[in-house]
Short mmCIF file of all heavy atoms in Angstrom, two decimals:
data_model
loop_
_atom_site.label_atom_id
_atom_site.label_comp_id
_atom_site.label_asym_id
_atom_site.label_seq_id
_atom_site.Cartn_x
_atom_site.Cartn_y
_atom_site.Cartn_z
N SER A 1 0.85 -1.19 0.00
CA SER A 1 0.00 0.00 0.00
C SER A 1 0.88 1.23 0.00
O SER A 1 2.10 1.15 0.17
CB SER A 1 -0.92 0.00 1.22
OG SER A 1 -0.15 0.06 2.42
N GLY A 2 0.24 2.39 -0.19
CA GLY A 2 0.96 3.65 -0.10
C GLY A 2 1.24 4.33 -1.43
O GLY A 2 1.80 5.42 -1.47
N GLY A 3 0.85 3.69 -2.52
CA GLY A 3 1.07 4.30 -3.82
C GLY A 3 0.17 5.50 -4.04
O GLY A 3 -0.72 5.79 -3.23
N GLY A 4 0.41 6.20 -5.14
CA GLY A 4 -0.41 7.35 -5.45
C GLY A 4 0.15 8.12 -6.63
O GLY A 4 1.09 7.68 -7.29
N LEU A 5 -0.45 9.27 -6.86
CA LEU A 5 -0.04 10.16 -7.94
C LEU A 5 0.74 11.32 -7.33
O LEU A 5 0.20 12.03 -6.47
CB LEU A 5 -1.26 10.67 -8.70
CG LEU A 5 -1.01 11.77 -9.75
CD1 LEU A 5 -0.10 11.26 -10.85
CD2 LEU A 5 -2.34 12.26 -10.33
N VAL A 6 1.98 11.50 -7.74
CA VAL A 6 2.82 12.57 -7.23
C VAL A 6 3.53 13.27 -8.38
O VAL A 6 3.50 12.79 -9.52
CB VAL A 6 3.86 12.05 -6.22
CG1 VAL A 6 3.18 11.44 -5.00
CG2 VAL A 6 4.79 11.03 -6.89
N GLN A 7 4.17 14.37 -8.07
CA GLN A 7 4.94 15.09 -9.07
C GLN A 7 6.42 14.71 -8.97
O GLN A 7 6.89 14.25 -7.91
CB GLN A 7 4.77 16.59 -8.89
CG GLN A 7 3.35 17.08 -9.17
CD GLN A 7 3.26 18.60 -9.12
OE1 GLN A 7 4.00 19.26 -8.41
NE2 GLN A 7 2.34 19.15 -9.90
N ALA A 8 7.13 14.93 -10.04
CA ALA A 8 8.57 14.67 -10.04
C ALA A 8 9.23 15.44 -8.90
O ALA A 8 8.91 16.61 -8.68
CB ALA A 8 9.17 15.05 -11.38
N GLY A 9 10.12 14.76 -8.19
CA GLY A 9 10.80 15.37 -7.07
C GLY A 9 10.15 15.09 -5.73
O GLY A 9 10.77 15.31 -4.67
N ASP A 10 8.92 14.61 -5.75
CA ASP A 10 8.21 14.30 -4.50
C ASP A 10 8.69 13.00 -3.90
O ASP A 10 9.50 12.26 -4.49
CB ASP A 10 6.70 14.23 -4.76
CG ASP A 10 6.07 15.59 -4.95
OD1 ASP A 10 6.75 16.60 -4.72
OD2 ASP A 10 4.89 15.63 -5.35
N SER A 11 8.14 12.69 -2.72
CA SER A 11 8.47 11.46 -2.01
C SER A 11 7.21 10.67 -1.71
O SER A 11 6.11 11.23 -1.61
CB SER A 11 9.18 11.77 -0.69
OG SER A 11 10.41 12.45 -0.90
N LEU A 12 7.38 9.36 -1.57
CA LEU A 12 6.31 8.46 -1.15
C LEU A 12 6.93 7.38 -0.29
O LEU A 12 8.10 7.03 -0.49
CB LEU A 12 5.64 7.79 -2.35
CG LEU A 12 4.48 8.46 -3.07
CD1 LEU A 12 4.03 7.58 -4.24
CD2 LEU A 12 3.31 8.72 -2.14
N ARG A 13 6.14 6.84 0.62
CA ARG A 13 6.59 5.68 1.37
C ARG A 13 5.60 4.54 1.16
O ARG A 13 4.41 4.69 1.48
CB ARG A 13 6.74 5.96 2.86
CG ARG A 13 7.38 4.79 3.60
CD ARG A 13 7.59 5.06 5.08
NE ARG A 13 6.37 4.92 5.84
CZ ARG A 13 6.33 4.71 7.15
NH1 ARG A 13 7.47 4.60 7.83
NH2 ARG A 13 5.18 4.61 7.79
N LEU A 14 6.06 3.46 0.62
CA LEU A 14 5.25 2.27 0.44
C LEU A 14 5.39 1.37 1.65
O LEU A 14 6.46 1.30 2.27
CB LEU A 14 5.67 1.51 -0.81
CG LEU A 14 5.68 2.30 -2.12
CD1 LEU A 14 6.04 1.36 -3.27
CD2 LEU A 14 4.38 2.99 -2.37
N SER A 15 4.31 0.67 1.97
CA SER A 15 4.33 -0.29 3.07
C SER A 15 3.94 -1.66 2.55
O SER A 15 3.13 -1.77 1.61
CB SER A 15 3.34 0.13 4.16
OG SER A 15 3.67 1.39 4.70
N CYS A 16 4.49 -2.68 3.15
CA CYS A 16 4.14 -4.06 2.83
C CYS A 16 3.81 -4.75 4.13
O CYS A 16 4.71 -5.09 4.90
CB CYS A 16 5.27 -4.76 2.09
SG CYS A 16 4.96 -6.51 1.75
N ALA A 17 2.53 -4.95 4.38
CA ALA A 17 2.09 -5.64 5.59
C ALA A 17 2.06 -7.14 5.33
O ALA A 17 1.60 -7.58 4.27
CB ALA A 17 0.71 -5.14 6.00
N THR A 18 2.54 -7.89 6.28
CA THR A 18 2.59 -9.34 6.09
C THR A 18 1.76 -10.04 7.16
O THR A 18 1.57 -9.53 8.27
CB THR A 18 4.03 -9.85 6.15
OG1 THR A 18 4.54 -9.63 7.47
CG2 THR A 18 4.91 -9.13 5.16
N SER A 19 1.26 -11.21 6.81
CA SER A 19 0.53 -12.05 7.75
C SER A 19 0.80 -13.50 7.42
O SER A 19 1.22 -13.82 6.30
CB SER A 19 -0.97 -11.76 7.68
OG SER A 19 -1.46 -12.01 6.38
N GLY A 20 0.62 -14.36 8.41
CA GLY A 20 0.86 -15.78 8.19
C GLY A 20 2.32 -16.15 8.21
O GLY A 20 2.68 -17.28 7.85
N GLY A 21 3.16 -15.22 8.58
CA GLY A 21 4.59 -15.49 8.65
C GLY A 21 5.29 -14.32 9.29
O GLY A 21 4.71 -13.25 9.46
N THR A 22 6.55 -14.49 9.60
CA THR A 22 7.34 -13.46 10.25
C THR A 22 8.41 -12.98 9.29
O THR A 22 9.19 -13.78 8.77
CB THR A 22 8.00 -14.01 11.53
OG1 THR A 22 6.97 -14.54 12.39
CG2 THR A 22 8.75 -12.93 12.26
N ILE A 23 8.45 -11.66 9.05
CA ILE A 23 9.37 -11.15 8.03
C ILE A 23 10.82 -11.43 8.38
O ILE A 23 11.67 -11.51 7.50
CB ILE A 23 9.17 -9.65 7.76
CG1 ILE A 23 9.43 -8.82 9.00
CG2 ILE A 23 7.79 -9.39 7.20
CD1 ILE A 23 9.45 -7.32 8.73
N SER A 24 11.10 -11.61 9.68
CA SER A 24 12.48 -11.88 10.07
C SER A 24 12.96 -13.23 9.54
O SER A 24 14.16 -13.49 9.49
CB SER A 24 12.64 -11.81 11.58
OG SER A 24 11.79 -12.74 12.21
N ASN A 25 12.02 -14.08 9.13
CA ASN A 25 12.39 -15.40 8.61
C ASN A 25 12.56 -15.42 7.09
O ASN A 25 12.89 -16.46 6.53
CB ASN A 25 11.31 -16.42 8.98
CG ASN A 25 11.26 -16.68 10.46
OD1 ASN A 25 12.25 -16.54 11.16
ND2 ASN A 25 10.09 -17.06 10.96
N TYR A 26 12.33 -14.28 6.45
CA TYR A 26 12.38 -14.21 4.99
C TYR A 26 13.30 -13.10 4.50
O TYR A 26 13.47 -12.08 5.17
CB TYR A 26 10.97 -13.96 4.42
CG TYR A 26 9.99 -15.07 4.69
CD1 TYR A 26 9.21 -15.08 5.84
CD2 TYR A 26 9.85 -16.12 3.79
CE1 TYR A 26 8.32 -16.10 6.09
CE2 TYR A 26 8.96 -17.15 4.03
CZ TYR A 26 8.20 -17.13 5.18
OH TYR A 26 7.32 -18.15 5.43
N HIS A 27 13.85 -13.32 3.32
CA HIS A 27 14.46 -12.22 2.57
C HIS A 27 13.30 -11.46 1.95
O HIS A 27 12.40 -12.06 1.38
CB HIS A 27 15.36 -12.74 1.45
CG HIS A 27 16.30 -13.82 1.86
ND1 HIS A 27 17.27 -13.65 2.82
CD2 HIS A 27 16.43 -15.10 1.42
CE1 HIS A 27 17.96 -14.77 2.96
NE2 HIS A 27 17.48 -15.67 2.12
N MET A 28 13.33 -10.14 2.05
CA MET A 28 12.22 -9.34 1.58
C MET A 28 12.69 -8.38 0.48
O MET A 28 13.83 -7.89 0.54
CB MET A 28 11.60 -8.54 2.72
CG MET A 28 11.08 -9.37 3.88
SD MET A 28 9.70 -10.45 3.40
CE MET A 28 8.48 -9.24 2.93
N ALA A 29 11.80 -8.10 -0.46
CA ALA A 29 12.21 -7.26 -1.59
C ALA A 29 11.03 -6.47 -2.15
O ALA A 29 9.87 -6.80 -1.91
CB ALA A 29 12.82 -8.12 -2.69
N TRP A 30 11.38 -5.46 -2.90
CA TRP A 30 10.43 -4.70 -3.71
C TRP A 30 10.83 -4.85 -5.18
O TRP A 30 12.01 -4.75 -5.52
CB TRP A 30 10.43 -3.22 -3.34
CG TRP A 30 9.80 -2.92 -2.02
CD1 TRP A 30 10.43 -2.81 -0.81
CD2 TRP A 30 8.42 -2.69 -1.76
NE1 TRP A 30 9.52 -2.53 0.18
CE2 TRP A 30 8.28 -2.44 -0.37
CE3 TRP A 30 7.27 -2.65 -2.55
CZ2 TRP A 30 7.05 -2.17 0.22
CZ3 TRP A 30 6.05 -2.38 -1.96
CH2 TRP A 30 5.94 -2.14 -0.60
N PHE A 31 9.83 -5.07 -6.00
CA PHE A 31 9.99 -5.07 -7.45
C PHE A 31 8.99 -4.07 -8.02
O PHE A 31 8.08 -3.61 -7.33
CB PHE A 31 9.70 -6.46 -8.02
CG PHE A 31 10.78 -7.47 -7.73
CD1 PHE A 31 10.87 -8.08 -6.49
CD2 PHE A 31 11.69 -7.83 -8.72
CE1 PHE A 31 11.87 -9.01 -6.22
CE2 PHE A 31 12.68 -8.78 -8.46
CZ PHE A 31 12.77 -9.35 -7.22
N ARG A 32 9.14 -3.77 -9.30
CA ARG A 32 8.17 -2.90 -9.95
C ARG A 32 7.99 -3.32 -11.40
O ARG A 32 8.88 -3.95 -11.99
CB ARG A 32 8.60 -1.43 -9.86
CG ARG A 32 9.83 -1.09 -10.69
CD ARG A 32 10.27 0.34 -10.43
NE ARG A 32 11.36 0.76 -11.31
CZ ARG A 32 11.99 1.93 -11.21
NH1 ARG A 32 11.64 2.79 -10.26
NH2 ARG A 32 12.96 2.22 -12.05
N GLN A 33 6.85 -2.95 -11.93
CA GLN A 33 6.56 -3.23 -13.34
C GLN A 33 5.90 -2.03 -13.96
O GLN A 33 4.77 -1.67 -13.61
CB GLN A 33 5.67 -4.46 -13.47
CG GLN A 33 5.49 -4.94 -14.89
CD GLN A 33 4.93 -6.34 -14.95
OE1 GLN A 33 4.44 -6.90 -13.96
NE2 GLN A 33 5.00 -6.96 -16.12
N GLY A 34 6.65 -1.38 -14.87
CA GLY A 34 6.13 -0.23 -15.57
C GLY A 34 5.34 -0.62 -16.79
O GLY A 34 5.38 -1.79 -17.22
N PRO A 35 4.63 0.32 -17.40
CA PRO A 35 3.82 0.03 -18.59
C PRO A 35 4.66 -0.58 -19.71
O PRO A 35 5.68 0.00 -20.11
CB PRO A 35 3.28 1.40 -18.98
CG PRO A 35 3.38 2.24 -17.75
CD PRO A 35 4.57 1.73 -17.00
N GLY A 36 4.25 -1.75 -20.17
CA GLY A 36 4.95 -2.40 -21.26
C GLY A 36 6.32 -2.94 -20.92
O GLY A 36 7.10 -3.28 -21.81
N ARG A 37 6.61 -3.05 -19.64
CA ARG A 37 7.93 -3.51 -19.21
C ARG A 37 7.82 -4.77 -18.38
O ARG A 37 6.77 -5.09 -17.82
CB ARG A 37 8.63 -2.43 -18.39
CG ARG A 37 8.84 -1.12 -19.13
CD ARG A 37 9.37 -0.05 -18.19
NE ARG A 37 10.68 -0.39 -17.67
CZ ARG A 37 11.81 -0.03 -18.25
NH1 ARG A 37 11.79 0.66 -19.37
NH2 ARG A 37 12.97 -0.34 -17.70
#
């Protein structure tokens, strides 16, 4: 969560809430997929 529409130069903070497991037991990552990519 945490996405939105911003202008160039702005900041955003994304969050990833987890359940059914403990993040300390996993390697965690962010990926992205742009239009047509």
